[in-house]
Amino acid sequence: MAAPSPVPTAGDSFPVLQASPAAANDATLVESPQQLNAPPGQPNTDQTSYFVSPGTETPADSPTKAASGSRSSADLLRRLSLVDGDRPATPYLDPQVEYPALKLTGRILSATFCIPHTLGFTSGRDWVYLSVYLGQFCTNAIQDIRPRRGTSALFDSFTHLSETGTVWDHTLIGWTGEIKPSDEIPSRPQSPVEGSSSSKNSLNKTVPVPLNNLSAPIPVDGSIRPSAPQPHGEGIRVSKADRECLEKQLRRDKSGRIVPVWLMDRSEDGQDDVVLKDQGRWRRYAEHEIYTLFHYKQHEPTDGRAERRWWTDYCQMNQMFADRILEIYKPGDIVWVHDYHLLLLPSILRQRLPHIYLGFFLHVPFPSSEFLRCLSRRKEILTGVLGANMIGFQTFSYSRHFSSCCTRILGFDAVSAGVDAYGAHIAVDVFPIGIDAAACAKLAYGNRVIEDKIQRIRAQYAGQKIIVGRDRLDTVRGVAQKLQAFEKFLERHPEWRGKVVLIQVTSPTSIEEEKEDGGHKMANKISNLVAKINGLYGGLEYTPVFHFPQYLSQDEYFALLRVADVGLITSVRDGMNTTSLEYVVCQRDNHGPLILSEFSGTAGSLTSAMHINPWDLIGVAEAIHQALTMPAEEKANQQRMSYRHVTTNTVQLWQKTYLTRLLANLASFNQSFSTPPLDRALLLTRYRLAKKRLFMFDYDGTLTPIVKDPQAAIPTDRVIRTIKTLAQDKRNAVWIISGRDQAFLDEWMGHISELGLSAEHGSFIRHPETDEWENLTEKVDMGWQKEVIEIFQHYTEKTQGSFIERKRIALTWHYRRSDPEYGAFQARECKKHLENTVGKKWDVEVMSGKANLEVRPTFVNKGEIAKRLVASYGVGKGEPPEFILCSGDDNTDEGNDLGVFRTCITIANVLLLDMFRTLRATKLPQENVFSVTVGASSKQTLASWHLLEPADVIAAVALLNGNVSNSTVDATIAAGY
């Protein structure tokens, strides 16, 4: 077959992208003869962009008109994107000029789990890129760096960021992957040399394809004996010189600068030689626990020992990524973290660099809160991601699930557009990823080898319609459902027997858990289904299903997509299925319908495809029949819409859109207000240096967790022992300043005689070593309470699970037992009602607390108590303490933090002015005040630090008490957190 013309004729429905028979890995767009011979002065299109400056062209009315006069494949895609007048966004301006306040360096550091290469290793030999092929196999003597399969769209985006035409300086940080001896790595299957004996081993009926679970996952040459595997315990020893050699090679990688992460035991860090053992351990938690649960699969319960080991490795891996990034990071860099292997990395980086510019993108689905609750480390995973400034997802449903999880599991205020946590706003947005459509079209068209394969496949299946499926051998890909639906199709439509075939290619999985399917259950199930269908509906002259459990060469893959009459994708849960996008590009001429699972992340983007529920076998069967009988005009219309979407919403546009919105969010929200986690090493150092110390703790949400029933918030034995030990130190003054009433505090904390207590937010106070309570509000008119009770009662009847708590001074309406979203809505309505009625008649204030509303006199607040304590504590009257730790969890405590901070600074300055030369030591430096907010915060907090939950508060106090081992203290100081 002759190569297609670079310019479509008048009768063509779709334009043709010119492609050259270039090497498989070369993604550079090739100029057409028209462009090469263009007259001087003719505008030239930037090869790294589909678009030109706005206002230079009038959009065409149809794809055919748009294609006429195109000068290259990139120019053609650009013209297609302007059809119907929908112009693409203008290219970037220089972000350093656009956002001068951010002080950007122009550098992007992208962190992804693996580098885009697999590595083979032989000690003392140079690392060399794979470049020479012998038939289907390559020589193993010299080739060590080979292309990695999977995530091609992501790697394409990295390549684009690294091109000289962009405004960014890009560096990729990733794990080396499992390094194996060079002679143990299977070679990438390639198109056989024309005329060789191996050229017949293609999608050809003359070569039998095994259908059982023993089928080789990749083509195997029987003349080559496999090498003996290394004993598992020995590992691979890599010297420092070999590591430096690889790093030097990857810095000059053609796809852009790459910095490898060497994952190893901490004990080997810094040594010249490292031994890489059990390299798969770094994948296990992510791929056994996170990946499976994110795809709505759940394991049977275990004793948890293995999961704890895997979690330790997962944390260590994220720490080593952070270490590697910090080695090359400069202030003003943008760090972009990718996918579920690195969910803890944003938080780790945020702890070390509070003002870092950090984005995160998840390439897989995100589950609903009901499912995420099943993950034992759910809080750590969520808080890890919330270290980013912006979090991106493939679809709106995934972003909505994430926001819901932040509300229902962590208690943060969240909407679909973002999450407010620890005083910072984390943007949440949707960015459907695309493919490099121009490169895909170039590879699929104009290659003589591909054209010959298409001719042979059509000859082999002459007179039959071809349905194509290509999936990994994962349970979430829905291959079994596809085969069952095809069986149902042949059963319900016997007229198609002998006239249609299903070609299913299943490549080996890359997921650790799926690889460890010891019984080959999935492979056996697929093989049995194929055998059943062929046995029921096949014969000597007709085979309904051809199953290829192997990798295909690139030429075979594109030939198969081009020759297909129907594309069938039945994923039961998927992030972004790029096969569907590549199918659309390859169906430019054939117009074969695409049947796409509604559970695929691509379904929301390819709205013109035929969406199906893979669990509805009859529905899928009828969709196959509809696709095979669809009129040509309808197929062309569907293809036109899908083709335009794929060629416009490319991977280049995806990364550009993400970075543009990230910068807009960074510029819109003052990131300097983000609250870093408490630096425990600094806390311990300042505590040991001080001789006079003041501690002020809130109760609910600070010393004890928030519970649905306030009376059930009983302090544990550990809390009581820790606070008692702290208060027994004569250098410490310890106070609990709570909204609780006197009776509750007396019952649970009153037996600690050294402890000071303040009830109802400062209305009552009990000094240490006394049993008497002092009433600070005994002369206040309480007539406002009757009106407040009536309003609270109205909202209690409307809000299931809410209730009223009446104290001596304050009235509180709780909605902890209610649905969090509905309860918060009713609280906002109730607060408006109170402010517009009682608030205008009485000298009271309405305070929003942790799942409650409280009304109290305006002069009653924790800040007044804090001022009194700071002013009265010390050897001399008014002399401030040398160390203050103030910890609270809600808005009432924010006032406390502000009061403590301002009071301490004011007193210190007064002392400095009055006794500047003789009492300099009494000045209270700002670094000696530790104001700590605990748990969720929906505001720009005034606290200097944050802790996640009450257990962290008790752990920090225990550290000060010395109730931990010396090794733990030393490790805390050494680590700095």
Side-chain angles (χ1 to χ4, degrees), residues 271-316:
Q271 297 183 13
D272 287 345
D273 290 1
V274 297
V275 179
L276 305 179
K277 298 180 181 179
D278 189 18
Q279 298 176 70
R281 60 189 276 202
W282 308 111
R283 297 179 177 270
R284 291 198 182 110
Y285 189 84
E287 298 181 2
H288 278 260
E289 302 297 315
I290 299 176
Y291 178 88
T292 52
L293 189 132
F294 279 22
H295 287 80
Y296 289 81
K297 295 167 58 184
Q298 192 173 0
H299 296 296
E300 294 294 327
T302 66
D303 61 8
R305 295 179 183 177
E307 287 80 359
R308 286 192 291 273
R309 291 196 305 271
W310 300 342
W311 173 253
T312 300
D313 291 335
Y314 186 76
C315 295
Q316 184 178 344

Short mmCIF file of all heavy atoms in Angstrom, two decimals, residues 271-316:
data_model
loop_
_atom_site.label_atom_id
_atom_site.label_comp_id
_atom_site.label_asym_id
_atom_site.label_seq_id
_atom_site.Cartn_x
_atom_site.Cartn_y
_atom_site.Cartn_z
N GLN A 271 28.27 4.84 51.74
CA GLN A 271 29.32 3.87 51.44
C GLN A 271 29.66 3.89 49.95
O GLN A 271 28.83 4.25 49.12
CB GLN A 271 28.88 2.47 51.86
CG GLN A 271 28.63 2.33 53.36
CD GLN A 271 28.26 0.90 53.74
OE1 GLN A 271 28.41 -0.02 52.95
NE2 GLN A 271 27.80 0.73 54.97
N ASP A 272 30.86 3.47 49.64
CA ASP A 272 31.28 3.45 48.24
C ASP A 272 30.51 2.40 47.45
O ASP A 272 30.03 2.66 46.35
CB ASP A 272 32.79 3.18 48.15
CG ASP A 272 33.60 4.38 48.58
OD1 ASP A 272 33.02 5.48 48.66
OD2 ASP A 272 34.81 4.23 48.85
N ASP A 273 30.40 1.21 48.00
CA ASP A 273 29.67 0.13 47.33
C ASP A 273 28.36 -0.12 48.06
O ASP A 273 28.32 -0.15 49.30
CB ASP A 273 30.49 -1.16 47.32
CG ASP A 273 31.69 -1.08 46.39
OD1 ASP A 273 31.89 -0.01 45.78
OD2 ASP A 273 32.44 -2.07 46.29
N VAL A 274 27.28 -0.28 47.29
CA VAL A 274 25.99 -0.63 47.88
C VAL A 274 25.52 -1.93 47.25
O VAL A 274 25.80 -2.22 46.08
CB VAL A 274 24.94 0.48 47.65
CG1 VAL A 274 25.36 1.75 48.35
CG2 VAL A 274 24.71 0.74 46.17
N VAL A 275 24.83 -2.74 48.04
CA VAL A 275 24.28 -4.01 47.56
C VAL A 275 22.77 -3.85 47.49
O VAL A 275 22.10 -3.60 48.50
CB VAL A 275 24.65 -5.17 48.50
CG1 VAL A 275 24.05 -6.46 47.98
CG2 VAL A 275 26.17 -5.29 48.62
N LEU A 276 22.24 -3.97 46.28
CA LEU A 276 20.81 -3.82 46.06
C LEU A 276 20.12 -5.16 46.21
O LEU A 276 20.25 -6.05 45.36
CB LEU A 276 20.56 -3.24 44.66
CG LEU A 276 21.28 -1.92 44.35
CD1 LEU A 276 20.99 -1.47 42.93
CD2 LEU A 276 20.88 -0.84 45.34
N LYS A 277 19.42 -5.34 47.33
CA LYS A 277 18.71 -6.58 47.63
C LYS A 277 17.21 -6.34 47.66
O LYS A 277 16.76 -5.28 48.06
CB LYS A 277 19.16 -7.14 48.98
CG LYS A 277 20.63 -7.52 49.08
CD LYS A 277 20.92 -8.08 50.48
CE LYS A 277 22.38 -8.45 50.62
NZ LYS A 277 22.68 -8.97 51.99
N ASP A 278 16.48 -7.36 47.26
CA ASP A 278 15.02 -7.30 47.32
C ASP A 278 14.52 -5.95 46.86
O ASP A 278 13.81 -5.23 47.58
CB ASP A 278 14.56 -7.60 48.76
CG ASP A 278 13.04 -7.78 48.85
OD1 ASP A 278 12.41 -8.02 47.80
OD2 ASP A 278 12.50 -7.67 49.97
N GLN A 279 14.85 -5.57 45.65
CA GLN A 279 14.53 -4.24 45.16
C GLN A 279 13.03 -4.00 45.02
O GLN A 279 12.56 -2.86 45.04
CB GLN A 279 15.22 -3.99 43.82
CG GLN A 279 16.75 -4.04 43.92
CD GLN A 279 17.41 -3.90 42.57
OE1 GLN A 279 17.40 -2.84 41.96
NE2 GLN A 279 17.99 -4.99 42.09
N GLY A 280 12.26 -5.07 44.90
CA GLY A 280 10.82 -4.92 44.79
C GLY A 280 10.14 -4.43 46.06
O GLY A 280 8.97 -4.05 46.03
N ARG A 281 10.88 -4.41 47.18
CA ARG A 281 10.29 -3.98 48.46
C ARG A 281 9.78 -2.55 48.41
O ARG A 281 8.83 -2.20 49.11
CB ARG A 281 11.33 -4.10 49.57
CG ARG A 281 12.57 -3.25 49.34
CD ARG A 281 13.68 -3.51 50.31
NE ARG A 281 13.52 -2.77 51.55
CZ ARG A 281 14.52 -2.49 52.38
NH1 ARG A 281 15.75 -2.90 52.09
NH2 ARG A 281 14.31 -1.82 53.48
N TRP A 282 10.42 -1.70 47.57
CA TRP A 282 10.03 -0.30 47.52
C TRP A 282 8.69 -0.11 46.84
O TRP A 282 8.06 0.95 46.99
CB TRP A 282 11.11 0.51 46.80
CG TRP A 282 12.47 0.29 47.35
CD1 TRP A 282 13.52 -0.36 46.73
CD2 TRP A 282 12.95 0.66 48.65
NE1 TRP A 282 14.61 -0.40 47.55
CE2 TRP A 282 14.30 0.22 48.75
CE3 TRP A 282 12.39 1.31 49.74
CZ2 TRP A 282 15.07 0.42 49.87
CZ3 TRP A 282 13.16 1.51 50.87
CH2 TRP A 282 14.49 1.07 50.94
N ARG A 283 8.24 -1.10 46.11
CA ARG A 283 6.94 -1.03 45.44
C ARG A 283 5.79 -1.56 46.29
O ARG A 283 4.64 -1.25 46.04
CB ARG A 283 6.95 -1.87 44.15
CG ARG A 283 7.91 -1.43 43.08
CD ARG A 283 7.81 -2.38 41.90
NE ARG A 283 8.65 -1.99 40.79
CZ ARG A 283 8.28 -1.18 39.80
NH1 ARG A 283 7.06 -0.70 39.79
NH2 ARG A 283 9.12 -0.86 38.83
N ARG A 284 6.10 -2.39 47.27
CA ARG A 284 5.07 -3.27 47.81
C ARG A 284 3.92 -2.54 48.47
O ARG A 284 2.77 -2.86 48.22
CB ARG A 284 5.71 -4.28 48.77
CG ARG A 284 6.57 -5.28 48.02
CD ARG A 284 6.87 -6.53 48.79
NE ARG A 284 7.74 -7.37 47.95
CZ ARG A 284 9.01 -7.62 48.18
NH1 ARG A 284 9.59 -7.12 49.25
NH2 ARG A 284 9.70 -8.37 47.36
N TYR A 285 4.21 -1.58 49.34
CA TYR A 285 3.08 -0.91 49.99
C TYR A 285 2.23 -0.16 48.98
O TYR A 285 0.99 -0.24 49.02
CB TYR A 285 3.56 0.05 51.08
CG TYR A 285 2.39 0.57 51.88
CD1 TYR A 285 1.88 -0.17 52.94
CD2 TYR A 285 1.77 1.77 51.56
CE1 TYR A 285 0.78 0.27 53.66
CE2 TYR A 285 0.68 2.23 52.27
CZ TYR A 285 0.19 1.47 53.32
OH TYR A 285 -0.91 1.92 54.02
N ALA A 286 2.88 0.55 48.07
CA ALA A 286 2.13 1.33 47.08
C ALA A 286 1.27 0.44 46.19
O ALA A 286 0.11 0.75 45.92
CB ALA A 286 3.09 2.16 46.23
N GLU A 287 1.84 -0.69 45.75
CA GLU A 287 1.15 -1.50 44.76
C GLU A 287 0.29 -2.61 45.37
O GLU A 287 -0.65 -3.08 44.72
CB GLU A 287 2.16 -2.06 43.76
CG GLU A 287 2.88 -0.94 43.00
CD GLU A 287 3.87 -1.43 41.97
OE1 GLU A 287 4.00 -2.67 41.82
OE2 GLU A 287 4.53 -0.60 41.33
N HIS A 288 0.60 -3.03 46.60
CA HIS A 288 -0.25 -4.01 47.28
C HIS A 288 -1.42 -3.34 47.98
O HIS A 288 -2.53 -3.86 47.96
CB HIS A 288 0.56 -4.80 48.32
CG HIS A 288 1.34 -5.93 47.74
ND1 HIS A 288 0.91 -7.23 47.80
CD2 HIS A 288 2.53 -5.96 47.10
CE1 HIS A 288 1.81 -8.02 47.23
NE2 HIS A 288 2.80 -7.27 46.79
N GLU A 289 -1.16 -2.19 48.62
CA GLU A 289 -2.17 -1.57 49.47
C GLU A 289 -2.85 -0.38 48.77
O GLU A 289 -4.08 -0.36 48.65
CB GLU A 289 -1.53 -1.10 50.78
CG GLU A 289 -0.86 -2.22 51.56
CD GLU A 289 -1.85 -3.27 52.02
OE1 GLU A 289 -2.92 -2.89 52.52
OE2 GLU A 289 -1.55 -4.47 51.88
N ILE A 290 -2.07 0.60 48.33
CA ILE A 290 -2.66 1.83 47.80
C ILE A 290 -3.30 1.59 46.44
O ILE A 290 -4.47 1.94 46.21
CB ILE A 290 -1.60 2.94 47.72
CG1 ILE A 290 -1.05 3.24 49.12
CG2 ILE A 290 -2.18 4.19 47.09
CD1 ILE A 290 0.07 4.26 49.12
N TYR A 291 -2.56 1.00 45.52
CA TYR A 291 -3.08 0.80 44.16
C TYR A 291 -4.36 -0.03 44.17
O TYR A 291 -5.35 0.31 43.51
CB TYR A 291 -2.02 0.12 43.30
CG TYR A 291 -2.48 -0.19 41.88
CD1 TYR A 291 -2.34 0.76 40.88
CD2 TYR A 291 -3.04 -1.42 41.56
CE1 TYR A 291 -2.76 0.49 39.58
CE2 TYR A 291 -3.46 -1.70 40.27
CZ TYR A 291 -3.32 -0.74 39.29
OH TYR A 291 -3.73 -1.01 38.01
N THR A 292 -4.35 -1.12 44.92
CA THR A 292 -5.52 -2.00 44.93
C THR A 292 -6.73 -1.29 45.53
O THR A 292 -7.84 -1.36 44.99
CB THR A 292 -5.22 -3.29 45.71
OG1 THR A 292 -4.70 -2.95 47.00
CG2 THR A 292 -4.20 -4.13 44.98
N LEU A 293 -6.53 -0.58 46.65
CA LEU A 293 -7.67 0.10 47.27
C LEU A 293 -8.16 1.26 46.42
O LEU A 293 -9.36 1.51 46.34
CB LEU A 293 -7.29 0.57 48.67
CG LEU A 293 -8.47 1.08 49.49
CD1 LEU A 293 -8.47 0.45 50.88
CD2 LEU A 293 -8.44 2.59 49.61
N PHE A 294 -7.24 1.98 45.78
CA PHE A 294 -7.65 3.08 44.91
C PHE A 294 -8.45 2.58 43.71
O PHE A 294 -9.20 3.34 43.11
CB PHE A 294 -6.43 3.87 44.43
CG PHE A 294 -5.93 4.87 45.44
CD1 PHE A 294 -6.22 4.75 46.78
CD2 PHE A 294 -5.14 5.94 45.04
CE1 PHE A 294 -5.76 5.66 47.71
CE2 PHE A 294 -4.67 6.87 45.95
CZ PHE A 294 -4.99 6.73 47.30
N HIS A 295 -8.29 1.30 43.38
CA HIS A 295 -9.07 0.69 42.29
C HIS A 295 -10.23 -0.15 42.84
O HIS A 295 -10.72 -1.06 42.17
CB HIS A 295 -8.16 -0.16 41.40
CG HIS A 295 -7.26 0.65 40.52
ND1 HIS A 295 -6.08 1.21 40.98
CD2 HIS A 295 -7.35 1.02 39.21
CE1 HIS A 295 -5.49 1.87 40.00
NE2 HIS A 295 -6.24 1.76 38.92
N TYR A 296 -10.63 0.15 44.08
CA TYR A 296 -11.80 -0.46 44.71
C TYR A 296 -11.66 -1.97 44.88
O TYR A 296 -12.61 -2.72 44.74
CB TYR A 296 -13.07 -0.13 43.89
CG TYR A 296 -13.48 1.30 44.03
CD1 TYR A 296 -12.86 2.29 43.27
CD2 TYR A 296 -14.47 1.68 44.91
CE1 TYR A 296 -13.22 3.63 43.39
CE2 TYR A 296 -14.85 3.01 45.04
CZ TYR A 296 -14.21 3.98 44.29
OH TYR A 296 -14.58 5.29 44.43
N LYS A 297 -10.47 -2.40 45.22
CA LYS A 297 -10.22 -3.79 45.58
C LYS A 297 -9.74 -3.83 47.02
O LYS A 297 -8.99 -2.95 47.45
CB LYS A 297 -9.16 -4.41 44.66
CG LYS A 297 -9.59 -4.52 43.22
CD LYS A 297 -8.39 -4.85 42.32
CE LYS A 297 -7.71 -6.13 42.73
NZ LYS A 297 -6.51 -6.39 41.92
N GLN A 298 -10.14 -4.83 47.76
CA GLN A 298 -9.79 -4.91 49.17
C GLN A 298 -9.27 -6.29 49.50
O GLN A 298 -9.82 -7.30 49.06
CB GLN A 298 -11.00 -4.58 50.05
CG GLN A 298 -10.66 -4.37 51.51
CD GLN A 298 -11.86 -3.88 52.29
OE1 GLN A 298 -12.94 -3.70 51.73
NE2 GLN A 298 -11.68 -3.66 53.59
N HIS A 299 -8.19 -6.33 50.30
CA HIS A 299 -7.60 -7.60 50.69
C HIS A 299 -8.34 -8.22 51.87
O HIS A 299 -9.04 -7.53 52.62
CB HIS A 299 -6.12 -7.40 51.08
CG HIS A 299 -5.26 -6.93 49.96
ND1 HIS A 299 -5.04 -7.67 48.83
CD2 HIS A 299 -4.57 -5.77 49.79
CE1 HIS A 299 -4.25 -7.01 48.01
NE2 HIS A 299 -3.95 -5.84 48.57
N GLU A 300 -8.12 -9.50 52.04
CA GLU A 300 -8.58 -10.16 53.25
C GLU A 300 -7.73 -9.67 54.42
O GLU A 300 -6.56 -9.34 54.26
CB GLU A 300 -8.45 -11.67 53.11
CG GLU A 300 -9.37 -12.29 52.05
CD GLU A 300 -10.83 -12.17 52.44
OE1 GLU A 300 -11.12 -12.22 53.66
OE2 GLU A 300 -11.67 -12.01 51.54
N PRO A 301 -8.32 -9.62 55.62
CA PRO A 301 -7.53 -9.14 56.78
C PRO A 301 -6.38 -10.07 57.11
O PRO A 301 -6.46 -11.29 56.94
CB PRO A 301 -8.57 -9.11 57.91
CG PRO A 301 -9.67 -10.01 57.47
CD PRO A 301 -9.70 -9.93 55.97
N THR A 302 -5.25 -9.48 57.56
CA THR A 302 -4.07 -10.25 57.95
C THR A 302 -3.61 -9.80 59.33
O THR A 302 -4.23 -8.93 59.95
CB THR A 302 -2.93 -10.02 56.93
OG1 THR A 302 -2.50 -8.65 57.02
CG2 THR A 302 -3.39 -10.32 55.51
N ASP A 303 -2.52 -10.39 59.81
CA ASP A 303 -1.99 -9.97 61.11
C ASP A 303 -1.26 -8.63 61.04
O ASP A 303 -0.88 -8.07 62.06
CB ASP A 303 -1.07 -11.04 61.70
CG ASP A 303 0.15 -11.31 60.82
OD1 ASP A 303 0.37 -10.57 59.83
OD2 ASP A 303 0.88 -12.27 61.11
N GLY A 304 -1.05 -8.09 59.83
CA GLY A 304 -0.49 -6.76 59.66
C GLY A 304 1.02 -6.68 59.70
O GLY A 304 1.58 -5.59 59.51
N ARG A 305 1.72 -7.78 59.92
CA ARG A 305 3.18 -7.71 60.01
C ARG A 305 3.82 -7.29 58.69
O ARG A 305 4.68 -6.42 58.67
CB ARG A 305 3.72 -9.07 60.46
CG ARG A 305 3.29 -9.48 61.87
CD ARG A 305 3.85 -10.85 62.23
NE ARG A 305 3.38 -11.27 63.55
CZ ARG A 305 3.66 -12.45 64.09
NH1 ARG A 305 4.43 -13.31 63.43
NH2 ARG A 305 3.19 -12.75 65.29
N ALA A 306 3.38 -7.93 57.61
CA ALA A 306 3.95 -7.58 56.31
C ALA A 306 3.63 -6.14 55.94
O ALA A 306 4.49 -5.41 55.44
CB ALA A 306 3.42 -8.54 55.23
N GLU A 307 2.39 -5.72 56.22
CA GLU A 307 2.00 -4.35 55.89
C GLU A 307 2.84 -3.34 56.65
O GLU A 307 3.17 -2.27 56.11
CB GLU A 307 0.52 -4.14 56.19
CG GLU A 307 -0.44 -4.82 55.23
CD GLU A 307 -0.61 -6.31 55.55
OE1 GLU A 307 0.03 -6.79 56.52
OE2 GLU A 307 -1.36 -6.98 54.83
N ARG A 308 3.17 -3.65 57.90
CA ARG A 308 4.01 -2.72 58.67
C ARG A 308 5.40 -2.63 58.07
O ARG A 308 5.99 -1.54 58.03
CB ARG A 308 4.08 -3.15 60.14
CG ARG A 308 2.80 -2.87 60.91
CD ARG A 308 3.01 -3.04 62.40
NE ARG A 308 3.23 -4.43 62.78
CZ ARG A 308 2.26 -5.29 63.06
NH1 ARG A 308 1.00 -4.91 63.01
NH2 ARG A 308 2.54 -6.52 63.41
N ARG A 309 5.97 -3.72 57.62
CA ARG A 309 7.29 -3.67 56.96
C ARG A 309 7.21 -2.86 55.66
O ARG A 309 8.08 -2.03 55.38
CB ARG A 309 7.79 -5.08 56.65
CG ARG A 309 8.17 -5.90 57.87
CD ARG A 309 9.01 -7.11 57.46
NE ARG A 309 8.34 -7.93 56.45
CZ ARG A 309 7.52 -8.94 56.74
NH1 ARG A 309 7.27 -9.25 58.01
NH2 ARG A 309 6.96 -9.65 55.77
N TRP A 310 6.16 -3.12 54.90
CA TRP A 310 6.00 -2.39 53.64
C TRP A 310 5.83 -0.89 53.90
O TRP A 310 6.36 -0.06 53.16
CB TRP A 310 4.79 -2.91 52.87
CG TRP A 310 4.87 -4.36 52.50
CD1 TRP A 310 6.00 -5.14 52.46
CD2 TRP A 310 3.80 -5.22 52.12
NE1 TRP A 310 5.69 -6.42 52.08
CE2 TRP A 310 4.34 -6.50 51.86
CE3 TRP A 310 2.42 -5.04 51.98
CZ2 TRP A 310 3.56 -7.57 51.47
CZ3 TRP A 310 1.64 -6.10 51.58
CH2 TRP A 310 2.20 -7.36 51.33
N TRP A 311 5.08 -0.53 54.94
CA TRP A 311 4.86 0.88 55.26
C TRP A 311 6.18 1.56 55.65
O TRP A 311 6.44 2.69 55.24
CB TRP A 311 3.84 1.02 56.37
CG TRP A 311 3.69 2.42 56.87
CD1 TRP A 311 4.13 2.93 58.05
CD2 TRP A 311 3.07 3.52 56.18
NE1 TRP A 311 3.82 4.26 58.15
CE2 TRP A 311 3.17 4.66 57.02
CE3 TRP A 311 2.44 3.64 54.95
CZ2 TRP A 311 2.65 5.89 56.66
CZ3 TRP A 311 1.93 4.89 54.59
CH2 TRP A 311 2.04 5.99 55.43
N THR A 312 7.00 0.85 56.40
CA THR A 312 8.30 1.41 56.77
C THR A 312 9.14 1.68 55.53
O THR A 312 9.77 2.74 55.40
CB THR A 312 9.05 0.44 57.70
OG1 THR A 312 8.27 0.23 58.89
CG2 THR A 312 10.41 0.98 58.09
N ASP A 313 9.15 0.74 54.59
CA ASP A 313 9.88 0.93 53.34
C ASP A 313 9.30 2.09 52.54
O ASP A 313 10.03 2.88 51.92
CB ASP A 313 9.84 -0.35 52.49
CG ASP A 313 10.66 -1.47 53.11
OD1 ASP A 313 11.60 -1.18 53.88
OD2 ASP A 313 10.36 -2.65 52.83
N TYR A 314 7.97 2.21 52.54
CA TYR A 314 7.31 3.29 51.80
C TYR A 314 7.71 4.66 52.36
O TYR A 314 8.03 5.58 51.60
CB TYR A 314 5.80 3.09 51.87
CG TYR A 314 4.98 4.04 51.03
CD1 TYR A 314 4.90 3.89 49.66
CD2 TYR A 314 4.28 5.09 51.62
CE1 TYR A 314 4.14 4.76 48.88
CE2 TYR A 314 3.52 5.97 50.86
CZ TYR A 314 3.46 5.79 49.49
OH TYR A 314 2.71 6.65 48.72
N CYS A 315 7.70 4.78 53.68
CA CYS A 315 8.11 6.04 54.30
C CYS A 315 9.58 6.34 54.00
O CYS A 315 9.94 7.48 53.69
CB CYS A 315 7.90 5.97 55.81
SG CYS A 315 6.17 5.84 56.32
N GLN A 316 10.42 5.32 54.11
CA GLN A 316 11.84 5.52 53.86
C GLN A 316 12.09 5.93 52.41
O GLN A 316 12.92 6.80 52.14
CB GLN A 316 12.61 4.24 54.18
CG GLN A 316 14.12 4.38 54.05
CD GLN A 316 14.85 3.10 54.43
OE1 GLN A 316 14.28 2.21 55.05
NE2 GLN A 316 16.11 3.00 54.05
#
